[in-house]
Amino acid sequence: MIERSLVIIKPDGVERGLIGEIIKRFENAGMKILGMKMVWIDRKFAEKHYEAHKTKPFFKELVEFITEGPVVAFAVEGVHAVENVRRLVGDTSPHEAAPGTIRGDFAHISMDYASRKKSGGKNVIHASGSKKEADAEIKLWFKKDEIHSYTTVHEKHVF
Ligand code: IDP
Ligand code: MG
């Protein structure tokens, strides 16, 4: 039941100064941050991260968007973490994301609008979509010794 998930604050979130605000939401929920880094990924790495989308019409724009500035990636652990992280993040399209979610609070565009504008869909944040995706993404983004083992107070009071 205790799962891990990968979160990435996308270049729009970093440039808009939302790093602290976003991390706070996961900490507030009592999730455990296992590892974190700021990286400016290149095209090759982006194509690997978004491999599942390579046949999509927005793939080129998506790769351009995610490589246009540095991102902050972190691995979190918690009960049903994959589903719970997605719940905090909100729907893919900020237009449909509920207020209170990260995408709902910090963006409002629709994916229709993004596609029409030939944009990669600026929605502030990425979160793994399944447990399988989470395991593969954490392995892609972090070396073994970058994922830390320690105890949080949440493990006593929240988990
Ligand atoms: P997710 O990020 O909520 O898991 P995915 O369907 O996996 O959503 O899509 C990956 C990313 O691709 C989205 O977060 C968004 O940035 C972008 N994207 C998705 N659909 C569209 C679209 O129709 N037009 C432009 N960009 C899109
Ligand atoms: Mg996805």
Side-chain angles (χ1 to χ4, degrees), residues 10 50 53 58 62 86 92 103 111 114-115 119-121 123 127:
K10 294 180 177 182
Y50 278 128
H53 295 298
F58 55 83
L62 179 56
R86 292 289 295 202
T92 300
R103 286 168 172 166
M111 286 303 139
S115 290
S119 144
N123 56 5

Side-chain angles (χ1 to χ4, degrees), residues 112-151:
D112 275 355
Y113 172 81
S115 290
R116 211 168 291 182
K117 218 184 139 202
K118 293 250 168 278
S119 144
K122 296 186 190 226
N123 56 5
V124 185
I125 187 165
H126 163 86
S128 307
S130 66
K131 214 182 156 307
K132 198 170 155 222
E133 209 176 279
D135 292 342
E137 288 178 354
I138 291 170
K139 218 166 150 187
L140 175 67
W141 284 77
F142 289 91
K143 293 190 201 122
K144 254 197 175 141
D145 64 1
E146 292 172 330
I147 296 293
H148 303 287
S149 182
Y150 66 101
T151 308

